[in-house]
């Protein structure tokens, strides 16, 4: 489990750097667009690029939410269960999440293939590259969910708590 957790942390660090770069570039592009509108006209590609960067940012950031368990959850049932019951419930939730992420990846590839012929209006980028954010984000979320599942099963088998494992 240690190697898997180290790899998960490395992937997460890479995601954080990519997010920081995307956020910085997006801010600069939008700022330059505002300046151009005030003084020199419009940059037709800037709004589109900022939108596509935001789409990628959202999908890859979702994997951080999976890693840290920050996505919305209903915890009423889990708080009523004993510790082992909570671990079993977490396994069930992870398995259901894996199915959802697999569906996102599967249909994401279908959408990418369908939209590869279509081009964006201003930048003339193939829309399949934009829709690939579904596949990338789904893959990252699936990976982080697998790591969580392995860790939860490890805690359940060894009997160690979340902070001990």
């Amino acid at each position: 489990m240690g190697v898997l957790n180290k790899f998960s942390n490395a992937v997460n660090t890479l995601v954080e750097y990519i997010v920081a770069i995307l956020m910085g570039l997006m801010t600069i592009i939008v700022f330059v667009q505002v300046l151009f509108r005030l003084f020199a006209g419009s940059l037709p590609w800037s709004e589109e690029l900022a939108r596509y960067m935001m789409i990628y940012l959202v999908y890859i950031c979702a994997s951080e939410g999976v890693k840290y368990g920050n996505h919305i959850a209903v915890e009423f049932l889990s708080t009523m269960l004993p510790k082992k019951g909570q671990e079993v419930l977490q396994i069930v939730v992870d398995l259901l999440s894996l199915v959802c992420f697999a569906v996102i990846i599967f249909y994401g590839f279908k959408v990418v293939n369908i939209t590869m012929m279509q081009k964006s209006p201003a930048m003339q980028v193939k829309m399949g590259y934009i829709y690939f954010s579904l596949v990338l984000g789904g893959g990252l979320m699936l990976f982080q969910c697998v790591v969580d599942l392995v860790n939860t099963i490890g805690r359940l088998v060894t009997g160690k708590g979340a902070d001990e494992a």
Side-chain angles (χ1 to χ4, degrees):
M1 284 192 298
V3 173
L4 189 61
N5 285 330
K6 285 181 183 178
F7 186 65
S8 171
N9 290 337
V11 168
N12 193 55
T13 301
L14 179 64
V15 164
E16 288 172 353
Y17 282 123
I18 291 171
V19 166
I21 290 168
L22 283 175
M23 189 67 97
L25 287 174
M26 193 171 58
T27 303
I28 291 167
I29 289 168
V30 170
F31 180 73
V32 168
Q33 167 66 358
V34 169
L35 290 178
F36 264 76
R37 281 188 185 175
L38 289 174
F39 301 113
S42 178
L43 297 174
W45 55 268
S46 64
E47 182 182 337
E48 200 170 275
L49 180 59
R51 183 182 322 121
Y52 298 153
M53 292 170 92
M54 181 63 133
I55 291 168
Y56 267 89
L57 193 136
V58 166
Y59 278 107
I60 64 174
C61 267
S63 69
E64 279 196 51
V66 172
K67 178 175 178 59
Y68 297 119
N70 290 336
H71 288 288
I72 191 167
V74 178
E75 297 176 343
F76 175 73
L77 179 62
S78 67
T79 57
M80 294 175 52
L81 294 173
K83 194 68 179 160
K84 286 226 188 247
Q86 289 177 7
E87 299 286 354
V88 170
L89 182 62
Q90 183 61 45
I91 290 171
V92 171
V93 168
D94 283 343
L95 290 173
L96 290 173
S97 296
L98 284 175
V99 170
C100 289
F101 300 146
V103 167
I104 289 171
I105 294 168
F106 178 77
Y107 285 105
F109 272 121
K110 286 187 176 240
V111 171
V112 167
N113 287 333
I114 291 169
T115 58
M116 205 45 106
M117 296 298 208
Q118 182 183 3
K119 291 188 176 183
S120 67
M123 295 175 48
Q124 294 298 304
V125 174
K126 291 183 178 185
M127 291 304 293
Y129 297 138
I130 308 307
Y131 283 103
F132 185 73
S133 63
L134 285 166
V135 177
L136 180 63
L140 289 168
M141 288 185 284
L142 186 120
F143 170 70
Q144 296 295 0
C145 193
V146 166
V147 171
D148 185 54
L149 182 63
V150 168
N151 287 333
T152 305
I153 291 172
R155 284 192 307 269
L156 191 62
V157 170
T158 62
K160 292 183 179 179
D163 50 343
E164 299 173 52

